């Protein structure tokens, strides 16, 4: 395992990697739960009297959301409850002067790490540790903290290079995310373990079933992935309609695997019994899967009968894990499936983990209380990798320290 903030010596100059990658609208960085979560780690370090130097990324070179972290510093400061200074430099003289001038308890955010050429190419930790970026910054700090669980699947310099040259620790977000997201594979539960899987990517659902099939008693399916499973079970759903090529593409690529999963794990897999669509008056319409004779419309959610079937299964479970939404929940008419399962989880005292960058947003959107869930992950790609048993480069690097 890795060391945590509990193991950190006092009065350190600490270099901390956060993940503040955020949606940007009209040039404005949107506040989101990543700021709030990381604020806890930053506050703990500053209150303990460390000098805190923060690194984070935003977007990728060439993308519209590849911008400076100046706004991030202000948003973070409002969550931490103390000043977060910003310097528009990653590891040049300006950055180093600002780091060297820090007093105990002060916090400084460096410029977008992806503005440094050595950050991005995915390379081995040894290569990253030997970059000028890592070597230069390492000389001006005493310790490295990685709190960026949600970026830990990337083998980038700021994530894997520093643990080779500095004492390295997991921040609070890293620690909690790692423990919760690995728990389905590592923990023994006394009762039933249920996994709700949906979203748009069939391969995510397939990989999760292949990796966790022996740990999970039942998979409750929905979303576009669920429709492809319904199609494999012989129903007239899950075909392409205008503007939705991914249905047929995904079908071609995954048909055989889905069919064999249904063959081998049919007893564990629960499929929707009804689906919802937009009717002639733009309202939500529902139809039983058994009554669908022709694919002539897009289905945007599981139906209410399906929610009624999934609800008691969740309430009887000891642990429930969620990956992917059961419908297009961003549109209130099609949020019934996703909010239905989330409410059932919130109302029981089962151990629960809700993840997927998009799916966990539903909790906020529909006014549910995060405290009613065991853990709500802020990770997207890293969460699915944890569920499918793939190692995370940033976590592995921390463990080696
Ligand atoms: N039937 C459907 N039709 C269209 N979109 C759907 C349907 N069901 C689910 N979705 C969409 O799937 C999205 C969630 O998909 P996905 O599983 O890929 O994301 P996630 O796991 O929550 O997050 P990440 O993007 O981090 O992987 C939601 O935004 C939702 O709108
Ligand atoms: O927002 C995220 O999911 C992480 O920060 C990773 O970002 P990336 O996909 O641009 O590497």
């Amino acid at each position: 395992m890795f060391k945590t903030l509990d193991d950190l010596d006092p009065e350190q100059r600490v270099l901390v990697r956060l993940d503040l990658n955020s949606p940007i609208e009209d040039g404005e960085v949107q506040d989101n739960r990543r700021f709030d979560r990381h604020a806890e780690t930053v506050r703990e370090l500053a209150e303990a009297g460390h000098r805190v130097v923060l690194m984070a990324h935003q977007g990728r070179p060439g993308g519209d959301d590849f911008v400076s972290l100046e706004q991030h510093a202000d948003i973070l400061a409002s969550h931490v409850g103390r000043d977060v200074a910003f310097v528009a430099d990653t590891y040049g003289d300006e950055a180093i002067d600002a780091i060297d001038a820090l007093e105990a308890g002060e916090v400084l955010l460096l410029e977008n790490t992806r503005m440094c050429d050595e950050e991005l190419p995915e390379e081995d930790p040894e290569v990253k540790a030997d970059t000028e970026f890592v070597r230069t910054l390492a000389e001006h700090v005493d310790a490295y903290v990685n709190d960026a669980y949600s970026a830990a699947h990337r083998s980038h310099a700021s994530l894997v290079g520093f643990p080779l040259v500095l004492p390295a620790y997991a921040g609070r977000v890293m620690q909690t995310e790692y423990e919760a997201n690995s728990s389905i594979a590592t923990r023994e539960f006394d009762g039933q373990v249920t996994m709700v899987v949906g979203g748009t990517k069939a391969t995510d659902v397939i990989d999760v079933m292949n990796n966790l099939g022996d740990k999970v008693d039942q998979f409750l399916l929905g979303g576009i992935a669920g429709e492809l499973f319904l199609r494999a079970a012989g129903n007239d759903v899950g075909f392409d309609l205008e503007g939705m090529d991914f249905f047929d593409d995904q079908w071609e690529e995954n048909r055989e695997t889905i069919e064999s999963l249904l063959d081998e794990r049919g007893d564990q897999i629960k499929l929707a019994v009804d689906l919802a669509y937009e009717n002639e008056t733009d309202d939500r319409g529902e139809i039983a899967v058994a009554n669908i004779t022709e694919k002539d419309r897009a289905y945007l959610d599981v139906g209410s009968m399906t929610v009624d079937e999934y609800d008691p299964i969740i309430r009887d479970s000891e642990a429930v894990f969620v990956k992917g939404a059961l419908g297009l929940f961003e549109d209130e008419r099609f949020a019934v499936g996703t909010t239905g399962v989330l409410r059932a989880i919130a109302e029981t005292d089962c151990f629960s983990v809700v993840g997927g960058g998009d799916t966990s947003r539903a909790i906020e959107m529909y006014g549910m209380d995060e405290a009613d869930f065991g853990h709500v992950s802020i990770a997207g790609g890293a969460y699915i990798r944890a569920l499918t048993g793939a190692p995370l480069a940033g976590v592995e690097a921390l463990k080696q320290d």
Side-chain angles (χ1 to χ4, degrees):
M1 258 306 262
F2 40 58
K3 287 187 264 177
T4 70
L5 299 192
D6 300 326
D7 304 302
L8 190 61
D9 286 341
E11 295 180 23
Q12 300 280 287
R13 293 170 301 166
V14 197
L15 181 64
V16 189
R17 177 57 156 101
L18 308 179
D19 184 3
L20 301 177
N21 196 29
S22 302
I24 312 247
E25 280 170 29
D26 301 325
E28 300 265 318
V29 175
Q30 304 296 299
D31 195 354
N32 64 86
R33 54 155 72 80
R34 285 185 174 169
F35 286 94
D36 197 41
R37 295 279 178 89
H38 286 301
E40 207 190 306
T41 301
V42 176
R43 196 180 311 111
E44 180 177 340
L45 289 167
E47 281 176 1
H50 300 293
R51 291 162 166 77
V52 187
V53 183
L54 306 174
M55 292 183 292
H57 74 273
Q58 174 63 53
R60 281 179 176 257
D64 289 346
D65 61 348
F66 183 58
V67 299
S68 163
L69 296 190
E70 195 170 359
Q71 293 179 55
H72 300 67
D74 292 338
I75 301 173
L76 184 63
S78 70
H79 288 276
V80 179
R82 50 171 80 208
D83 285 348
V84 175
F86 171 74
V87 60
D89 188 13
T90 49
Y91 72 102
D93 290 347
E94 245 189 284
I96 299 303
D97 288 348
I99 294 171
D100 290 347
L102 278 178
E103 301 282 346
E106 286 186 342
V107 184
L108 168 73
L109 176 63
L110 303 178
E111 184 54 289
N112 190 342
T113 51
R114 292 186 178 175
M115 290 185 181
C116 161
D117 291 343
E118 291 170 323
E119 167 71 352
L120 271 183
E122 297 254 355
E123 288 163 321
D124 289 343
E126 292 73 20
V127 178
K128 292 305 192 188
D130 199 29
T131 56
E132 210 182 312
F133 166 55
V134 170
R135 282 191 278 111
T136 308
L137 285 180
E139 269 175 38
H140 295 266
V141 295
D142 308 304
Y144 168 76
V145 170
N146 190 350
D147 211 27
Y149 177 87
S150 48
H153 51 305
R154 309 290 185 206
S155 194
H156 296 161
S158 63
L159 295 154
V160 299
F162 292 101
L164 269 65
V165 294
L166 287 169
Y169 307 84
R172 295 303 180 204
V173 174
M174 170 64 80
Q175 196 183 344
T176 342
E177 286 271 4
Y178 177 76
E179 280 163 14
N181 301 341
S182 316
S183 62
I184 190 162
T186 55
R187 254 176 80 163
E188 289 293 328
F189 296 99
D190 292 337
Q192 263 193 152
V193 177
T194 297
M195 176 118 211
V196 179
V197 276
T200 53
K201 291 163 240 145
T203 47
D204 280 0
V205 173
I206 291 167
D207 292 349
V208 165
M209 282 182 181
N210 280 331
N211 187 48
L212 296 174
D214 297 334
K215 297 276 180 181
V216 171
D217 294 292
Q218 49 234 315
F219 293 98
L220 311 182
L221 266 74
I224 285 169
E227 267 193 67
L228 292 171
F229 274 72
L230 278 171
R231 180 171 172 183
N235 301 288
D236 281 328
V237 300
F239 297 86
D240 270 358
L241 289 174
E242 231 174 300
M244 296 185 97
D245 325 343
F246 51 80
F247 267 109
D248 278 351
D249 290 350
Q250 293 202 78
W251 177 249
E252 292 310 323
E253 279 160 33
N254 302 302
R255 172 189 186 154
E256 275 175 35
T257 321
I258 296 177
E259 283 173 349
S260 58
L261 272 170
L262 280 174
D263 253 8
E264 288 157 26
R265 299 198 175 275
D267 293 348
Q268 277 172 284
I269 300 174
K270 303 267 179 283
L271 301 178
V273 292
D274 59 345
L275 294 169
Y277 57 92
E278 186 177 61
N279 68 17
E280 304 70 37
T281 53
D282 290 346
D283 295 318
R284 176 185 171 98
E286 294 195 351
I287 182 167
V289 170
N291 294 337
I292 299 175
T293 49
E294 187 185 351
K295 171 76 182 184
D296 52 0
R297 54 164 85 100
Y299 294 105
L300 300 170
D301 194 9
V302 299
S304 324
M305 283 193 310
T306 305
V307 177
D308 289 346
E309 292 210 349
Y310 288 178
D311 180 284
I313 298 176
I314 289 170
R315 287 176 200 273
D316 282 346
S317 296
E318 177 75 18
V320 184
F321 294 81
V322 180
K323 164 67 185 100
L326 296 195
L328 184 71
F329 70 84
E330 293 86 347
D331 181 330
E332 210 172 325
R333 295 169 301 170
F334 303 109
V336 172
T338 305
T339 56
V341 298
L342 289 174
R343 289 216 169 87
I345 296 169
E347 284 167 20
T348 53
D349 56 5
C350 62
F351 174 80
S352 61
V353 180
V354 179
D358 288 316
T359 314
S360 47
R361 253 189 316 120
I363 292 178
E364 226 168 339
M365 254 184 96
Y366 291 96
M368 288 177 243
D369 188 350
E370 250 188 52
D372 290 333
F373 299 86
H375 177 69
V376 178
S377 177
I378 53 171
Y383 179 68
I384 186 67
R385 278 176 179 76
L387 295 182
T388 55
L392 302 174
V395 173
E396 296 307 306
L398 273 185
K399 285 182 183 167
Q400 275 162 29
D401 181 61

